[in-house]
Structure formats: structure tokens, C-alpha cells
Amino acid sequence: MIGSNSIIQALNVGSCCYIGENVILGKRTNIRDCVIIEDNCVIPDDTHIPPYSVVKAPCQITHQELNFSFKGIMERVAKLYYQNFVPEIPK
């Protein structure tokens, strides 16, 4: 899931990732599976984020290991979101 106003220039974004609003992922950034990137983060070019990590703002990368059940939780959240998605019709 990718939040609004985010700029993604990453080489790779793994599965079951959450990218918050107003996030900038630099060029050639490698985001592994099951990563949370909080709102307003700026990730520099060529950064590698390991799996099951949390990245916090402002402009610093701190890793906090997530529980391995996070993947299942994100899969359920994504399925619910897309099952209930209602597209906006342009006027």
C-alpha cells in the first residue's frame, strides 16, 4: 500500500509493504518484504531496507524489527481494502 503524494523511484519494493503519505524513496532504493515506512520519510538513493523493519521520520532510518505475523496482517488488510474499494468517478 502506498500513501498519497509519495514519490517512488525505488529499484525494488517487496511484498506486504506499507509506504505512508508524502514519502520519497530515492533512486535504486531496495525495500525488502514486510516493511513499514512512516509518513514524511525521505529515503536516500541506494538505501537497502531489510525485511520486517520500520522506518521513521524525520529523514532518519531507524530499524525496528517487526513480528513475523506482520505479513499475514498486511495481506488481510490489503484484501479488505481492495474488496471494499470504490473508484472515484471523474466529473
Side-chain angles (χ1 to χ4, degrees), residues 10-67:
L11 174 69
N12 178 51
V13 176
S15 61
C16 300
C17 290
Y18 174 81
I19 299 172
E21 296 182 0
N22 304 311
V23 170
I24 298 174
L25 295 180
K27 296 175 185 172
R28 300 172 305 277
T29 301
N30 186 10
I31 310 296
R32 300 290 303 273
D33 295 339
C34 302
V35 170
I36 296 174
I37 301 176
E38 294 185 354
D39 296 344
N40 305 309
C41 285
V42 177
I43 309 297
D45 295 349
D46 301 309
T47 302
H48 174 82
I49 310 291
Y52 299 97
S53 297
V54 177
V55 181
K56 300 180 181 222
C59 302
Q60 63 182 5
I61 300 172
T62 56
H63 299 288
Q64 169 189 346
E65 224 174 271
L66 295 172
N67 189 312

